[in-house]
Amino acid sequence: MKQKMRLGIQEIPRADQWLLFSLQHLCAMFGATVLVPFLIDMSPATALLSSGLGTLAFILITKGQVPAYLGSSFAFIAPILSAQALGGTEGAMIGSFFAGIIYGVVALIIKAAGTNWITKLLPPIVVGPVIMVIGLSLATTAVDNAMYLPGTDEYSLVHIVTAGITLGVAVIATMYFKGFLNLIPILLGLIAGYVFALSQGLIDLNPIRDANWFAVPELMIPFYTYDPSLNWAIIAIMAPVALVTLAEHTGQLMVLSKISGKNFLQKPGMHRTVMGDGLATIIAAGIGGPPNTTYGENVGVIAITRVFSVFVIAGAAVLAITFSFIGKVAALISSIPEAVMGGISIMLFGIIASAGIRMLVDNKLDMGEKRNMVIASIILVVGIGGATVRFSDTFEIAGMSLATIIGLVLHAVLPNKNVSYGEQNMFEENPEQH
C-alpha cells in the first residue's frame, strides 16, 4: 500500500496548496465531527474548537511525525448520554477526563512493555461485537430523528422524505463519486438534505442572520463555569470506552503506517500517539467538547492526495479553531434539522456496526466455535439491550462499558483462547469507525 509521497511528512507546502489541502481535511472531518455534539446536545462550535486544539496537541506530542487528524468520537455517544442522565453535561466532562487519563496510563504501559499485550487484551471476538454495539445501540436515535417531529412521537412524512434524500445522496456519493468527492459523502448528504429541508420550510434562517460573525464558543471550564464533582457511576460508564477507542486508534495507526511506508508504532512510538489521543480527549473535557479520536476519513484524504505533511494537518486544525469562533457558522450548524441528521446517522451508525462484522471476517474468526458464539452473543445483547449493574444509587456500570468488561472477563476465563484471535492480525485493516 505504500505510495510515493507528493509531500513528505515534514515538508511545508506552498501557501496556495497549503490552504487547499487543509480545506480538504476540514471538509472530510466536518460532517461527522459536528454530528456527534448535535446528538448529545453539545455545542458544535466547541466540538470544532476541541477537534482543532486536540489535533495540534497530538502533533506536538508525536513530534510532528504522524499526520493524523482527530475529531469527535462516535464511541462515546451512548456513554455520554447515560452520563448526562446521571450528572448532566458537567458530569459527562469529568467522565471524558478520566477516559483521557486511561489513555495516559496505557501510554505509560506501552512505553514500558511494548504493544503485544494490546492484541492479547483486545481480541477480535471482543472488539468486533463491541464496535457493533456502538452502532446498533444508536439505531433508534437515528430512526427517531428521521421519522418524527422534533421532540415528539408524531410521524412526519416530510421529515422521513428529507432523511431519505439526505441518506440517498450520501449513498450515491459513497458508491459512485470519484476522487475527493468520494471522501466527503457525509458533507454532501448534509448539504443536499439541508437544501431540501429549506425548500420545505423546515429551517428558520433568522438565527443565522441574527448571529454575530465573531462569537466565542460555549465553553464549559471546570472551576470557572462549574464546580466539578466525582461521580463513580459516570466514570465507570465512560472510562472503559477508552479500551474500545484504543483498538480503533491502533487500527488507524497501522493503516497510516502502511500508506506512508513508515512504522509509526516504532517511531515516534505508539506510546506517544496514544498519549496524544489522551491529551486531546482531556483538552476536550476541559472546554466542554466531545472526546476525540483519530479519523479514518482524513487517512483516506492522505491516501488519495499522497500529501503526508503534518503542516497540512495542522492547517486544518487551525481552520477548525477559526470556524469555531465564527458565530454564523455555529448558527448554521445548529439550524440543521433533526431529519437531516437522522438520515446521515442511519448510514453512519450502520457503517460502524458493519465495521464490527468486518473485523470478525477480516480476522477469519470461526463463529461456529462455541467459545466465539458465547462471547459475541452476550456482548451484543448486554450492550444493545442497555443492561445495567447497579451497585448503589451513585455507582453503576451500564451498556457498552458493561458489555466490554463482560467480554474481556469471558475471554479471560473461557478455555480455548486461540480460536478468538482468528488467523490474521486484528489491526491489519482499518476498522473505519469512530
Side-chain angles (χ1 to χ4, degrees):
M1 288 181 66
K2 180 180 176 181
Q3 303 180 27
K4 183 179 177 182
M5 293 186 182
R6 184 175 175 184
L7 274 177
I9 291 175
Q10 296 188 328
E11 284 189 65
I12 301 176
R14 293 200 322 261
D16 57 333
Q17 292 181 333
W18 196 341
L19 179 61
L20 176 62
F21 291 149
S22 293
L23 276 171
Q24 287 184 136
H25 279 284
L26 184 73
C27 290
M29 69 85 182
F30 193 88
T33 291
V34 301
L35 175 59
V36 173
F38 185 93
L39 294 173
I40 57 179
D41 196 25
M42 287 184 179
S43 165
T46 308
L48 284 176
L49 177 61
S50 64
S51 168
L53 291 175
T55 299
L56 293 178
F58 179 89
I59 291 173
L60 182 66
I61 292 292
T62 57
K63 298 182 176 181
Q65 295 179 21
V66 183
Y69 193 92
L70 282 70
S72 304
S73 172
F74 282 84
F76 282 91
I77 293 177
I80 284 178
L81 291 173
S82 298
Q84 286 173 331
L86 290 172
T89 302
E90 295 89 348
M93 291 300 95
I94 302 301
S96 297
F97 174 82
F98 276 92
I101 294 297
I102 295 292
Y103 268 109
V105 172
V106 170
L108 294 176
I109 296 174
I110 291 172
K111 174 71 173 175
T115 59
N116 288 339
W117 65 274
I118 296 176
T119 53
K120 292 180 180 179
L121 176 68
L122 300 171
I125 194 56
V126 173
V127 178
V130 168
I131 291 173
M132 294 167 66
V133 167
I134 294 172
L136 295 177
S137 63
L138 296 167
T140 53
T141 300
V143 172
D144 287 351
N145 283 341
M147 286 202 315
Y148 301 125
L149 292 174
T152 74
D153 56 0
E154 183 180 344
Y155 180 83
S156 170
L157 181 60
V158 173
H159 284 71
I160 196 71
V161 170
T162 302
I165 289 173
T166 305
L167 176 61
V169 170
V171 170
I172 291 169
T174 300
M175 296 302 300
Y176 299 108
F177 288 6
K178 304 296 182 184
F180 173 64
L181 290 178
N182 182 252
L183 297 172
I184 55 169
I186 299 170
L187 187 62
L188 294 176
L190 286 173
I191 292 171
Y194 191 91
V195 171
F196 180 78
L198 191 62
S199 72
Q200 299 301 304
L202 299 181
I203 301 172
D204 180 9
L205 296 178
N206 287 323
I208 302 173
R209 296 191 188 99
D210 296 340
N212 296 322
W213 280 103
F214 176 80
V216 177
E218 299 172 22
L219 302 179
M220 294 180 61
I221 302 173
F223 302 108
Y224 182 71
T225 59
Y226 69 97
D227 292 323
S229 60
L230 289 181
N231 184 320
W232 292 109
I234 291 176
I235 294 171
I237 289 170
M238 295 192 63
V241 182
L243 293 175
V244 181
T245 53
L246 178 65
E248 173 191 13
H249 171 93
T250 310
Q252 302 284 11
L253 203 61
M254 291 293 290
V255 172
L256 200 53
S257 294
K258 284 185 177 182
I259 64 175
S260 66
K262 297 179 181 294
N263 190 341
F264 295 124
L265 275 71
Q266 291 183 357
K267 184 181 178 182
M270 191 175 167
H271 63 286
R272 285 190 174 274
T273 63
V274 171
M275 184 67 77
D277 241 16
L279 180 57
T281 295
I282 289 172
I283 289 172
I287 64 174
N292 287 316
T293 187
T294 48
Y295 257 29
E297 292 93 332
N298 297 87
V299 174
V301 171
I302 291 172
I304 293 294
T305 62
R306 294 174 291 112
V307 173
F308 292 83
S309 171
V310 291
F311 293 95
V312 169
I313 300 294
V318 170
L319 286 173
I321 293 169
T322 303
F323 272 42
S324 72
F325 284 90
I326 299 176
K328 289 190 181 297
V329 171
L332 176 65
I333 297 170
S334 299
S335 72
I336 299 174
E338 288 187 5
V340 173
M341 288 299 193
I344 283 295
S345 299
I346 289 172
M347 185 172 82
L348 274 177
F349 298 159
I351 287 174
I352 294 171
S354 60
I357 299 173
R358 175 183 164 181
M359 180 169 283
L360 301 179
V361 173
D362 284 347
N363 288 278
K364 299 182 179 179
L365 259 73
D366 182 0
M367 294 307 295
E369 288 281 353
K370 290 185 290 186
R371 181 186 212 276
N372 290 341
M373 283 194 296
V374 166
I375 294 175
S377 59
I378 291 175
I379 288 174
L380 288 172
V381 173
V382 168
I384 297 171
T388 300
V389 175
R390 185 171 291 120
F391 298 94
S392 69
D393 291 340
T394 58
F395 183 69
E396 65 180 34
I397 303 175
M400 184 174 63
S401 296
L402 180 61
T404 303
I405 292 169
I406 290 175
L408 292 173
V409 171
L410 288 173
H411 173 66
V413 300
L414 294 181
N416 201 16
K417 281 188 180 180
N418 289 340
V419 300
S420 292
Y421 290 97
E423 299 179 18
Q424 293 188 7
N425 187 324
M426 180 167 76
F427 301 117
E428 283 187 357
E429 295 293 336
N430 173 19
E432 291 181 356
Q433 58 94 12
H434 303 307

